[in-house]
Amino acid sequence: YAEQVVVTKGVKIRGDNGAIVIPSEVAPNATDAASGDALAAIILVQNTTGADVSGLIVDGSKNALSECSPILLGILYLDASGKAEHNAVRHVKLSPSLLGCQSGVAMAAITDNSGSSDVTFSGNSAEDYQKNGITGNESGTKVTIDGNAVTGSGPQMSIAQNGIQIGFG
């Protein structure tokens, strides 16, 4: 599938073996209320409960971003609840000239100032990401992280890379 996916209902997306979501380019489709940063999620689950995403390959290699903003994410639950299970999220990073940018998060659950998120990340793999493998941020976010394979790129001179980040409330 060559486009970004936005989920605003409690649906279950189950990919057939080898199903790939690889947008030919990405554009901002959300805003992080805490920071004001524009977000460009390949799969955005927003303002809903019971939304499950499983069995997909999420590939950011064709994102076409040429600046540090918006922040690139593979799977983002924003003020949403559900499960992301058995997905492979890869190549969520900017071009080599932008490797110092605080962008490139494979999977994340984030709550803005007025909502809540309750997300389970289980049995996924995150590899070749720029900033974080799995993130749970902000007050109101509950995240369960179990049985995932998170593989960073090794020592970086231009950015602090986090395998799993839980923070900001």
Side-chain angles (χ1 to χ4, degrees), residues 60-152:
S61 61
K62 296 182 179 181
N63 66 70
L65 294 175
S66 60
E67 298 179 13
C68 290
S69 181
I71 295 173
L72 177 64
L73 300 103
I75 299 173
L76 171 61
Y77 281 77
L78 180 62
D79 290 332
S81 297
K83 298 176 186 174
E85 298 177 308
H86 309 292
N87 299 291
V89 184
R90 61 189 187 196
H91 313 307
V92 183
K93 62 182 183 180
L94 305 179
S95 69
S97 65
L98 298 171
L99 289 181
C101 299
Q102 301 292 310
S103 186
V105 176
M107 293 169 271
I110 301 173
T111 300
D112 78 13
N113 297 331
S114 60
S116 66
S117 297
D118 185 351
V119 180
T120 297
F121 294 110
S122 178
N124 301 290
S125 67
E127 62 183 60
D128 199 28
Y129 55 86
Q130 185 164 330
K131 180 61 182 160
N132 295 344
I134 301 175
T135 300
N137 277 354
E138 307 304 339
S139 293
T141 300
K142 177 183 175 189
V143 63
T144 302
I145 302 168
D146 181 52
N148 299 281
V150 180
T151 307

Coordinates of all heavy atoms in Angstrom, one line a residue, residues 60-152:
G60 N 9.4 3.0 6.0 CA 9.5 4.4 5.8 C 10.6 4.8 4.8 O 10.9 6.0 4.7
S61 N 11.1 3.9 4.0 CA 12.3 4.2 3.2 C 12.0 5.2 2.1 O 12.9 5.8 1.5 CB 12.9 2.9 2.6 OG 11.9 2.3 1.8
K62 N 10.7 5.4 1.7 CA 10.4 6.3 0.6 C 9.7 7.6 1.1 O 8.9 8.2 0.4 CB 9.5 5.6 -0.4 CG 10.1 4.5 -1.1 CD 9.2 3.8 -2.1 CE 9.9 2.7 -2.8 NZ 9.0 2.1 -3.9
N63 N 10.0 8.0 2.4 CA 9.3 9.1 3.0 C 9.4 10.4 2.3 O 8.5 11.3 2.4 CB 9.6 9.2 4.5 CG 11.1 9.6 4.7 OD1 11.4 10.7 4.4 ND2 11.9 8.7 5.2
A64 N 10.5 10.7 1.6 CA 10.7 11.9 0.8 C 10.7 13.2 1.7 O 10.6 14.3 1.1 CB 9.6 12.1 -0.3
L65 N 11.0 13.1 3.0 CA 11.1 14.3 3.8 C 12.5 14.9 3.6 O 13.5 14.2 3.5 CB 10.9 13.9 5.3 CG 9.5 13.5 5.6 CD1 9.4 13.0 7.1 CD2 8.5 14.6 5.4
S66 N 12.5 16.2 3.5 CA 13.8 16.9 3.2 C 14.2 17.9 4.3 O 15.2 18.6 4.1 CB 13.7 17.7 1.8 OG 12.6 18.6 1.9
E67 N 13.5 17.9 5.4 CA 13.8 18.7 6.5 C 13.5 17.9 7.8 O 12.9 16.9 7.8 CB 12.9 20.0 6.5 CG 13.1 20.9 5.3 CD 12.2 22.1 5.3 OE1 11.6 22.4 6.4 OE2 12.1 22.7 4.3
C68 N 13.9 18.5 9.0 CA 13.7 17.8 10.2 C 12.3 17.7 10.6 O 11.9 16.9 11.4 CB 14.5 18.5 11.3 SG 16.3 18.3 11.2
S69 N 11.5 18.6 10.2 CA 10.0 18.6 10.5 C 9.3 18.3 9.2 O 9.6 18.8 8.1 CB 9.6 20.0 11.0 OG 8.3 20.0 11.3
P70 N 8.2 17.5 9.3 CA 7.6 16.9 10.5 C 8.4 15.7 11.0 O 9.3 15.2 10.4 CB 6.2 16.4 10.0 CG 6.5 16.1 8.5 CD 7.5 17.1 8.1
I71 N 8.1 15.3 12.3 CA 8.7 14.1 12.9 C 8.1 12.9 12.2 O 6.9 12.7 12.2 CB 8.5 14.1 14.4 CG1 9.2 15.3 15.0 CG2 9.0 12.8 15.0 CD1 9.0 15.5 16.5
L72 N 9.0 12.0 11.7 CA 8.5 10.8 11.0 C 8.3 9.7 12.1 O 9.2 9.4 12.9 CB 9.6 10.4 10.0 CG 9.4 9.1 9.3 CD1 8.1 9.2 8.4 CD2 10.6 8.7 8.4
L73 N 7.2 9.0 12.0 CA 6.8 7.8 12.8 C 6.3 6.7 12.0 O 5.6 6.9 10.9 CB 5.8 8.2 13.9 CG 6.2 9.3 14.8 CD1 5.5 10.6 14.4 CD2 5.8 8.9 16.2
G74 N 6.6 5.5 12.4 CA 6.0 4.3 11.7 C 4.6 4.1 12.1 O 3.7 4.3 11.3
I75 N 4.3 3.6 13.3 CA 3.0 3.4 13.8 C 2.8 4.3 15.0 O 3.6 4.3 16.0 CB 2.7 2.0 14.3 CG1 2.9 1.0 13.1 CG2 1.3 1.8 14.9 CD1 2.9 -0.5 13.4
L76 N 1.8 5.2 15.0 CA 1.5 6.1 16.1 C 0.1 6.0 16.6 O -0.9 6.1 15.8 CB 1.7 7.6 15.6 CG 1.3 8.7 16.6 CD1 2.0 8.6 17.9 CD2 1.4 10.0 15.9
Y77 N 0.0 5.7 17.9 CA -1.3 5.8 18.6 C -1.4 7.1 19.3 O -0.6 7.3 20.2 CB -1.5 4.6 19.6 CG -1.9 3.3 19.0 CD1 -0.9 2.5 18.3 CD2 -3.2 2.9 19.0 CE1 -1.3 1.3 17.7 CE2 -3.5 1.6 18.5 CZ -2.6 0.9 17.8 OH -2.9 -0.3 17.3
L78 N -2.2 8.0 18.9 CA -2.3 9.4 19.4 C -3.7 9.5 20.0 O -4.7 9.5 19.3 CB -2.1 10.4 18.4 CG -2.1 11.9 18.8 CD1 -1.0 12.2 19.8 CD2 -2.0 12.8 17.6
D79 N -3.7 9.6 21.4 CA -5.0 9.7 22.1 C -5.9 8.5 21.6 O -7.1 8.6 21.3 CB -5.8 11.0 21.8 CG -5.1 12.1 22.5 OD1 -4.5 11.9 23.6 OD2 -5.2 13.3 22.0
A80 N -5.3 7.3 21.6 CA -6.0 6.1 21.1 C -5.5 4.9 21.9 O -4.5 4.9 22.5 CB -5.7 5.9 19.6
S81 N -6.4 3.9 21.8 CA -6.1 2.6 22.5 C -6.3 1.5 21.6 O -7.1 1.5 20.7 CB -7.0 2.5 23.7 OG -6.8 3.6 24.6
G82 N -5.4 0.4 21.8 CA -5.5 -0.8 21.0 C -4.2 -1.5 21.1 O -3.4 -1.4 22.0
K83 N -4.0 -2.4 20.1 CA -2.8 -3.3 20.1 C -2.1 -3.2 18.7 O -2.8 -3.2 17.7 CB -3.2 -4.7 20.3 CG -3.8 -5.0 21.7 CD -4.3 -6.4 21.7 CE -5.0 -6.7 23.0 NZ -5.6 -8.0 23.0
A84 N -0.8 -3.1 18.8 CA 0.1 -3.3 17.6 C 0.9 -4.5 17.8 O 1.7 -4.6 18.7 CB 1.0 -2.1 17.4
E85 N 0.5 -5.6 17.1 CA 1.2 -6.9 17.3 C 1.7 -7.5 16.0 O 1.0 -7.4 15.0 CB 0.2 -7.9 18.0 CG -0.4 -7.4 19.3 CD -1.4 -8.3 19.9 OE1 -2.4 -8.6 19.1 OE2 -1.3 -8.8 21.0
H86 N 2.8 -8.1 16.1 CA 3.4 -8.9 15.0 C 3.6 -8.1 13.8 O 3.4 -8.6 12.7 CB 2.6 -10.1 14.8 CG 2.3 -10.9 16.0 ND1 3.4 -11.6 16.7 CD2 1.2 -11.1 16.7 CE1 2.8 -12.2 17.8 NE2 1.5 -11.9 17.8
N87 N 4.1 -6.8 13.9 CA 4.4 -6.0 12.8 C 5.9 -5.8 12.7 O 6.6 -6.0 13.7 CB 3.8 -4.6 13.0 CG 2.3 -4.6 13.1 OD1 1.6 -4.8 12.1 ND2 1.8 -4.3 14.3
A88 N 6.4 -5.6 11.5 CA 7.8 -5.3 11.3 C 7.9 -3.8 10.8 O 7.3 -3.5 9.8 CB 8.4 -6.2 10.3
V89 N 8.5 -3.0 11.6 CA 8.6 -1.5 11.3 C 10.1 -1.2 11.0 O 10.9 -1.5 11.9 CB 8.1 -0.6 12.5 CG1 8.1 0.8 12.0 CG2 6.7 -1.1 12.8
R90 N 10.3 -0.7 9.8 CA 11.7 -0.6 9.4 C 11.9 0.7 8.6 O 11.0 1.3 8.0 CB 12.1 -1.8 8.6 CG 11.3 -2.0 7.3 CD 11.6 -3.3 6.7 NE 10.9 -3.4 5.4 CZ 10.7 -4.5 4.7 NH1 11.2 -5.7 5.2 NH2 10.1 -4.5 3.6
H91 N 13.2 1.1 8.5 CA 13.6 2.3 7.7 C 12.8 3.6 8.0 O 12.5 4.3 7.1 CB 13.5 2.0 6.2 CG 14.0 0.6 5.8 ND1 15.3 0.3 6.1 CD2 13.5 -0.4 5.2 CE1 15.6 -1.0 5.7 NE2 14.4 -1.4 5.1
V92 N 12.5 3.8 9.3 CA 11.9 5.0 9.7 C 12.9 6.0 10.1 O 13.3 6.2 11.3 CB 10.9 4.7 10.9 CG1 10.1 6.0 11.3 CG2 9.9 3.6 10.5
K93 N 13.5 6.6 9.1 CA 14.6 7.6 9.3 C 14.6 8.5 8.1 O 14.0 8.3 7.1 CB 15.9 6.9 9.4 CG 16.3 6.1 8.3 CD 17.6 5.3 8.5 CE 18.1 4.6 7.3 NZ 19.4 3.9 7.6
L94 N 15.3 9.6 8.3 CA 15.4 10.7 7.3 C 16.7 10.4 6.5 O 17.4 9.4 6.7 CB 15.5 12.0 8.0 CG 14.3 12.4 8.9 CD1 14.5 13.8 9.5 CD2 13.0 12.3 8.2
S95 N 16.9 11.2 5.5 CA 18.1 11.0 4.6 C 19.4 11.2 5.4 O 19.4 11.8 6.5 CB 18.0 12.0 3.5 OG 18.3 13.3 4.0
P96 N 20.5 10.7 5.0 CA 21.7 10.8 5.7 C 22.2 12.2 6.1 O 22.8 12.4 7.1 CB 22.8 10.1 4.7 CG 22.0 9.2 3.9 CD 20.6 9.8 3.8
S97 N 21.8 13.2 5.3 CA 22.1 14.5 5.7 C 21.3 15.1 6.8 O 21.7 16.1 7.4 CB 21.9 15.5 4.4 OG 20.6 15.5 4.1
L98 N 20.3 14.4 7.3 CA 19.4 14.8 8.4 C 19.5 13.9 9.6 O 18.5 13.9 10.4 CB 17.9 14.9 7.9 CG 17.7 15.9 6.7 CD1 16.3 15.8 6.2 CD2 18.0 17.3 7.2
L99 N 20.5 13.1 9.7 CA 20.6 12.1 10.8 C 20.7 12.7 12.2 O 20.5 12.0 13.1 CB 21.7 11.1 10.5 CG 21.4 10.1 9.4 CD1 22.6 9.2 9.2 CD2 20.1 9.4 9.5
G100 N 21.0 14.0 12.3 CA 21.0 14.7 13.6 C 19.6 15.1 14.1 O 19.5 15.6 15.2
C101 N 18.6 15.0 13.2 CA 17.3 15.5 13.6 C 16.6 14.5 14.6 O 16.8 13.3 14.6 CB 16.4 15.5 12.4 SG 17.0 16.7 11.1
Q102 N 15.8 15.0 15.5 CA 15.1 14.2 16.5 C 13.8 13.6 15.9 O 12.7 14.0 16.2 CB 14.7 15.1 17.7 CG 15.9 15.7 18.4 CD 16.8 14.7 19.1 OE1 16.4 13.9 19.8 NE2 18.1 14.7 18.8
S103 N 14.0 12.8 14.9 CA 12.9 12.2 14.1 C 13.2 10.7 13.9 O 14.3 10.3 14.1 CB 12.8 12.9 12.8 OG 11.7 12.5 12.0
G104 N 12.2 10.0 13.4 CA 12.4 8.6 13.1 C 12.1 7.7 14.3 O 13.0 7.1 14.9
V105 N 10.8 7.6 14.6 CA 10.3 6.7 15.7 C 9.5 5.6 15.1 O 8.6 5.8 14.4 CB 9.5 7.5 16.7 CG1 8.9 6.6 17.8 CG2 10.3 8.7 17.3
A106 N 9.9 4.3 15.4 CA 9.3 3.2 14.8 C 7.8 3.1 15.3 O 6.9 2.9 14.5 CB 10.1 1.9 15.1
M107 N 7.6 3.0 16.6 CA 6.3 2.9 17.2 C 6.1 3.8 18.4 O 7.0 3.9 19.2 CB 6.0 1.4 17.6 CG 6.0 0.4 16.4 SD 6.0 -1.3 17.0 CE 7.8 -1.6 17.0
A108 N 4.9 4.4 18.5 CA 4.7 5.3 19.7 C 3.3 5.3 20.1 O 2.4 5.1 19.3 CB 5.2 6.7 19.3
A109 N 3.1 5.5 21.4 CA 1.8 5.9 22.0 C 2.0 7.2 22.7 O 2.9 7.3 23.6 CB 1.4 4.8 23.0
I110 N 1.2 8.2 22.3 CA 1.3 9.5 22.9 C -0.1 10.0 23.3 O -1.0 9.8 22.5 CB 2.0 10.5 21.9 CG1 3.4 10.0 21.5 CG2 2.0 11.9 22.4 CD1 4.0 10.8 20.3
T111 N -0.1 10.7 24.4 CA -1.4 11.3 24.8 C -1.2 12.8 24.8 O -0.2 13.4 25.2 CB -1.8 10.9 26.2 OG1 -1.9 9.5 26.2 CG2 -3.0 11.5 26.7
D112 N -2.2 13.6 24.2 CA -2.1 15.0 24.3 C -2.7 15.5 25.6 O -3.0 14.7 26.5 CB -2.7 15.7 23.1 CG -4.3 15.8 23.1 OD1 -4.9 15.5 24.2 OD2 -4.9 16.1 22.1
N113 N -2.8 16.7 25.8 CA -3.2 17.3 27.1 C -4.5 16.9 27.6 O -4.8 17.0 28.8 CB -3.1 18.8 27.1 CG -1.6 19.3 26.8 OD1 -0.7 18.6 27.1 ND2 -1.5 20.4 26.1
S114 N -5.4 16.5 26.8 CA -6.8 16.2 27.2 C -7.2 14.7 27.0 O -8.3 14.4 27.4 CB -7.8 17.1 26.5 OG -7.7 16.8 25.1
G115 N -6.4 13.9 26.4 CA -6.9 12.5 26.1 C -6.2 11.5 26.9 O -5.7 11.7 28.0
S116 N -6.3 10.3 26.4 CA -5.6 9.1 27.1 C -5.3 8.1 26.0 O -5.9 8.0 24.9 CB -6.5 8.5 28.2 OG -7.6 7.9 27.6
S117 N -4.3 7.3 26.3 CA -3.9 6.2 25.4 C -3.6 5.0 26.2 O -3.0 5.1 27.3 CB -2.6 6.6 24.6 OG -2.9 7.7 23.7
D118 N -4.0 3.8 25.8 CA -3.7 2.5 26.4 C -3.4 1.6 25.3 O -4.2 1.1 24.6 CB -4.9 2.0 27.2 CG -4.6 0.8 28.0 OD1 -3.5 0.2 27.8 OD2 -5.5 0.4 28.8
V119 N -2.1 1.3 25.1 CA -1.6 0.6 23.9 C -0.7 -0.5 24.3 O 0.2 -0.4 25.2 CB -0.8 1.6 23.0 CG1 -0.3 0.8 21.7 CG2 -1.7 2.7 22.5
T120 N -0.8 -1.7 23.6 CA 0.1 -2.8 23.8 C 0.9 -3.0 22.5 O 0.3 -3.1 21.4 CB -0.7 -4.1 24.1 OG1 -1.4 -3.9 25.3 CG2 0.2 -5.3 24.2
F121 N 2.2 -3.0 22.7 CA 3.1 -3.3 21.6 C 3.7 -4.7 21.9 O 4.4 -4.8 22.9 CB 4.2 -2.3 21.5 CG 3.8 -0.9 21.1 CD1 3.8 0.1 22.0 CD2 3.3 -0.6 19.8 CE1 3.4 1.4 21.7 CE2 2.9 0.7 19.5 CZ 3.0 1.7 20.4
S122 N 3.3 -5.7 21.1 CA 3.7 -7.0 21.4 C 4.1 -7.8 20.2 O 3.4 -7.8 19.2 CB 2.5 -7.8 22.1 OG 2.9 -9.1 22.4
G123 N 5.3 -8.5 20.3 CA 5.7 -9.3 19.2 C 6.1 -8.6 17.9 O 6.2 -9.2 16.8
N124 N 6.4 -7.3 18.0 CA 6.9 -6.5 16.8 C 8.4 -6.5 16.7 O 9.1 -6.8 17.6 CB 6.4 -5.1 17.0 CG 4.9 -4.9 17.2 OD1 4.1 -5.2 16.2 ND2 4.5 -4.6 18.4
S125 N 8.8 -6.1 15.5 CA 10.3 -5.8 15.4 C 10.4 -4.3 14.9 O 9.6 -3.8 14.1 CB 10.9 -6.7 14.4 OG 10.4 -6.5 13.1
A126 N 11.4 -3.7 15.4 CA 11.7 -2.3 15.0 C 13.2 -2.3 14.7 O 14.0 -2.6 15.5 CB 11.5 -1.3 16.2
E127 N 13.5 -1.9 13.5 CA 14.9 -1.9 13.0 C 15.1 -0.7 12.0 O 14.2 -0.3 11.4 CB 15.3 -3.2 12.4 CG 14.6 -3.6 11.2 CD 14.9 -4.9 10.6 OE1 14.8 -5.9 11.4 OE2 15.4 -5.0 9.5
D128 N 16.3 -0.3 12.0 CA 16.8 0.8 11.1 C 15.9 2.1 11.3 O 15.4 2.6 10.4 CB 16.7 0.3 9.7 CG 17.6 1.2 8.8 OD1 18.5 1.8 9.2 OD2 17.2 1.3 7.6
Y129 N 15.7 2.4 12.6 CA 15.0 3.7 12.9 C 16.1 4.7 13.3 O 17.2 4.4 13.6 CB 14.0 3.4 14.1 CG 14.7 2.8 15.3 CD1 15.3 3.6 16.3 CD2 14.7 1.5 15.5 CE1 15.9 3.1 17.4 CE2 15.3 0.9 16.6 CZ 15.9 1.7 17.6 OH 16.5 1.2 18.6
Q130 N 15.7 6.0 13.3 CA 16.6 7.1 13.6 C 16.7 7.4 15.0 O 17.8 7.5 15.6 CB 16.2 8.3 12.7 CG 17.2 9.4 12.9 CD 17.0 10.5 11.8 OE1 16.5 10.1 10.7 NE2 17.3 11.7 12.1
K131 N 15.6 7.6 15.7 CA 15.6 8.2 17.1 C 15.2 7.1 18.1 O 16.0 6.8 19.0 CB 14.7 9.4 17.2 CG 14.6 10.0 18.6 CD 16.0 10.5 19.1 CE 15.9 11.0 20.5 NZ 17.2 11.1 21.1
N132 N 14.0 6.6 18.1 CA 13.5 5.6 19.1 C 12.8 4.4 18.4 O 12.1 4.6 17.4 CB 12.4 6.3 19.9 CG 12.9 7.4 20.8 OD1 14.1 7.6 21.0 ND2 12.0 8.2 21.3
G133 N 13.0 3.3 19.0 CA 12.3 2.1 18.5 C 10.9 2.1 19.0 O 10.0 2.0 18.2
I134 N 10.7 2.2 20.3 CA 9.3 2.2 20.8 C 9.2 3.3 21.9 O 10.1 3.4 22.7 CB 8.9 0.9 21.5 CG1 9.0 -0.3 20.5 CG2 7.5 1.0 22.1 CD1 8.7 -1.7 21.0
T135 N 8.2 4.1 21.8 CA 8.0 5.3 22.7 C 6.7 5.3 23.3 O 5.7 5.0 22.7 CB 8.2 6.6 21.9 OG1 9.5 6.6 21.3 CG2 8.0 7.8 22.7
G136 N 6.6 5.6 24.6 CA 5.4 5.9 25.4 C 5.6 7.2 26.1 O 6.4 7.3 27.0
N137 N 4.9 8.2 25.7 CA 5.1 9.6 26.2 C 3.8 10.3 26.7 O 2.8 10.0 26.1 CB 5.7 10.5 25.1 CG 7.2 10.3 25.1 OD1 7.9 9.6 25.8 ND2 7.8 11.0 24.1
E138 N 4.0 11.1 27.7 CA 3.0 12.1 28.2 C 2.1 11.4 29.2 O 1.8 10.2 29.2 CB 2.2 12.7 27.1 CG 3.0 13.4 26.0 CD 4.0 14.4 26.5 OE1 3.9 15.0 27.6 OE2 5.0 14.7 25.7
S139 N 1.6 12.3 30.2 CA 0.7 11.8 31.2 C -0.6 11.3 30.5 O -1.0 11.9 29.4 CB 0.3 13.0 32.1 OG 1.4 13.4 32.9
G140 N -1.2 10.3 31.0 CA -2.4 9.8 30.4 C -2.1 8.6 29.5 O -3.0 8.0 28.9
T141 N -0.8 8.3 29.3 CA -0.4 7.2 28.4 C -0.1 6.0 29.3 O 0.7 6.0 30.2 CB 0.8 7.5 27.6 OG1 0.5 8.7 26.8 CG2 1.2 6.4 26.7
K142 N -0.8 4.9 28.9 CA -0.4 3.5 29.5 C 0.0 2.7 28.3 O -0.7 2.6 27.3 CB -1.7 2.9 30.2 CG -1.4 1.5 30.7 CD -2.6 0.9 31.3 CE -2.3 -0.6 31.7 NZ -3.5 -1.3 32.1
V143 N 1.2 2.1 28.5 CA 1.8 1.3 27.4 C 2.3 0.0 28.0 O 3.0 0.0 29.0 CB 2.9 2.1 26.6 CG1 4.0 2.5 27.5 CG2 3.3 1.4 25.4
T144 N 2.0 -1.1 27.3 CA 2.6 -2.4 27.6 C 3.5 -2.8 26.5 O 3.0 -2.8 25.3 CB 1.5 -3.4 27.8 OG1 0.6 -3.0 28.8 CG2 2.0 -4.8 28.2
I145 N 4.7 -3.1 26.8 CA 5.7 -3.5 25.8 C 6.2 -4.8 26.1 O 6.8 -5.0 27.2 CB 6.9 -2.4 25.7 CG1 6.3 -1.0 25.5 CG2 7.9 -2.8 24.7 CD1 7.3 0.1 25.7
D146 N 5.9 -5.8 25.2 CA 6.3 -7.2 25.6 C 6.7 -8.0 24.3 O 6.0 -8.0 23.3 CB 5.0 -7.9 26.2 CG 5.2 -9.3 26.6 OD1 6.2 -9.6 27.3 OD2 4.4 -10.2 26.1
G147 N 7.8 -8.6 24.4 CA 8.3 -9.6 23.4 C 8.6 -8.9 22.0 O 8.5 -9.6 21.0
N148 N 9.1 -7.7 22.0 CA 9.4 -7.0 20.8 C 10.9 -7.1 20.6 O 11.7 -7.2 21.5 CB 9.1 -5.5 20.9 CG 7.6 -5.3 21.1 OD1 6.8 -5.4 20.1 ND2 7.2 -5.1 22.3
A149 N 11.4 -7.1 19.3 CA 12.8 -7.1 18.9 C 13.1 -5.7 18.5 O 12.5 -5.2 17.5 CB 13.1 -8.1 17.8
V150 N 13.9 -5.0 19.2 CA 14.3 -3.6 18.9 C 15.8 -3.5 18.6 O 16.6 -3.7 19.5 CB 13.9 -2.6 20.1 CG1 14.2 -1.2 19.8 CG2 12.4 -2.8 20.4
T151 N 16.1 -3.2 17.4 CA 17.5 -3.2 17.0 C 17.9 -1.8 16.5 O 17.5 -1.4 15.5 CB 17.7 -4.2 15.9 OG1 17.2 -5.5 16.3 CG2 19.2 -4.4 15.6
G152 N 18.8 -1.2 17.3 CA 19.3 0.1 16.9 C 20.4 0.0 15.9 O 20.8 -1.1 15.5

